Amino acid sequence: REFRALRQTQLLGTQAHLYWHTMTLLAFAPRPTTDLRILREQLHTQNQTLPMSMGGSFFIVVLWAIVISFWIPLFTVIWWSMAMMLQFALWYYGATRYRERVKNGVISDRAVLRMARLSVWGSLVSGCLWGVSSIVFFPSPGSVHVEYQYLLMLTLAGLISGAAFAQGSYLPAFYAFAIPSAAPVIILLM
């Protein structure tokens, strides 16, 4: 009991420490631009890289679902995979609407701001789904499948690197993906 209480206290202290560092990072992070011309170009660049990043993410989700199905109940893997596929469908729908609007001419300022918000929310949902996967699918340290912890860390590092490429033009969307996807694994490893 004492060990468990001590471990919980350490974990809460670690979470508070990580929260403090995250808030510090966000406080000194570059602010999103208020110039709508720049924002329009940032979103355009992000949407140009979207097909490549969605294809890579889809491949990683399928591969990861196959790998984790060896030690995680199939029902849980299917639910997580379905949530990821729904998220991909929503990204595809948003990218298709964006391309239609670009074909029809210049996008209004109001639509640009709305797309920026949707981009951040979509990245946040995706980051949270990967963060949930790192909590739910994280093998316990004494488990036979402990080597999958390394695979999970490498997968998340690759996804965050890909997000830097795909969403680097619009930093709020990148932060919305990177922080919730990496934070749970960092906390679990402390």
Side-chain angles (χ1 to χ4, degrees), residues 66-79:
I66 291 168
V67 168
I68 63 176
S69 65
F70 290 114
W71 82 88
I72 299 293
L74 193 58
F75 179 77
T76 307
V77 174
I78 289 173
W79 272 106

Side-chain angles (χ1 to χ4, degrees), residues 40 43-44 47-48 94-108 112 115:
R40 185 176 280 117
L43 292 174
H44 183 70
N47 275 288
Q48 284 179 326
T96 304
R97 284 196 59 194
Y98 174 80
R99 288 194 177 94
E100 288 172 1
R101 287 184 178 202
V102 167
K103 280 183 188 177
N104 294 336
V106 178
I107 301 172
S108 70
V112 168
M115 286 180 195

